[in-house]
Amino acid sequence: MGYLIVAEAAMALHFAFLAYVVCGGFLVWRWPQAIWPHLAAAAYGLGVTVVGWLCPLTWLEHWGRVNAGQEGLGTEGFISHYLTGVVYPAEHLRETQLAAAAVVALSWIGAALLARRRAHRTRESSPAMR
């Protein structure tokens, strides 16, 4: 039972991490200092998808499932196992990855524009500028 809890928790964390990688840049619009953890998460996500880095959550889920007597993820990664062919067709993997990257880029562009606007407002309302 404990191994299955580990596997399920790793799967849930994985889904949460993927959601954060894709949409976490929008948190920066409200909390500008959130750019740093999102930058790290996006860089890691890029490394996993482009470079082929291993993800410890995939390993942890596989380990938990195998030790719980279930079939593990095998040679597939988390995305291949749960998303490709289920959420989007396998032949559209590259387009899905590009769409996710576009969402990240748009969130960062929006954050940069908001930061610029905030800096401009701060300069205008500064007593030294009057």
Side-chain angles (χ1 to χ4, degrees):
M1 179 70 171
Y3 291 117
L4 189 55
I5 291 172
V6 168
E8 295 293 322
M11 180 186 62
L13 280 172
H14 225 145
F15 275 116
F17 181 76
L18 286 176
Y20 179 68
V21 167
V22 175
C23 300
F26 293 106
L27 295 174
V28 178
W29 293 22
R30 176 68 175 94
W31 299 286
Q33 65 275 17
I35 188 68
W36 301 113
H38 189 257
L39 181 64
Y44 187 75
L46 186 66
V48 168
T49 56
V50 174
V51 179
W53 295 345
L54 298 177
C55 180
L57 289 172
T58 301
W59 177 87
L60 184 63
E61 181 185 353
H62 177 77
W63 175 84
R65 292 206 184 282
V66 167
N67 284 301
Q70 295 185 345
E71 185 177 328
L73 297 179
T75 59
E76 296 181 307
F78 176 84
I79 292 173
S80 297
H81 187 80
Y82 289 108
L83 301 177
T84 304
V86 177
V87 176
Y88 55 86
E91 61 270 12
H92 294 295
L93 173 62
R94 185 62 57 203
E95 292 88 347
T96 303
Q97 290 172 332
L98 290 172
V103 171
V104 172
L106 288 172
S107 71
W108 287 354
I109 289 167
L113 292 173
L114 286 170
R116 185 175 172 192
R117 184 183 303 165
R118 285 183 190 119
H120 183 71
R121 285 184 191 157
T122 302
R123 275 185 264 133
E124 284 181 350
S125 65
S126 173
M129 296 299 291
R130 292 181 187 171

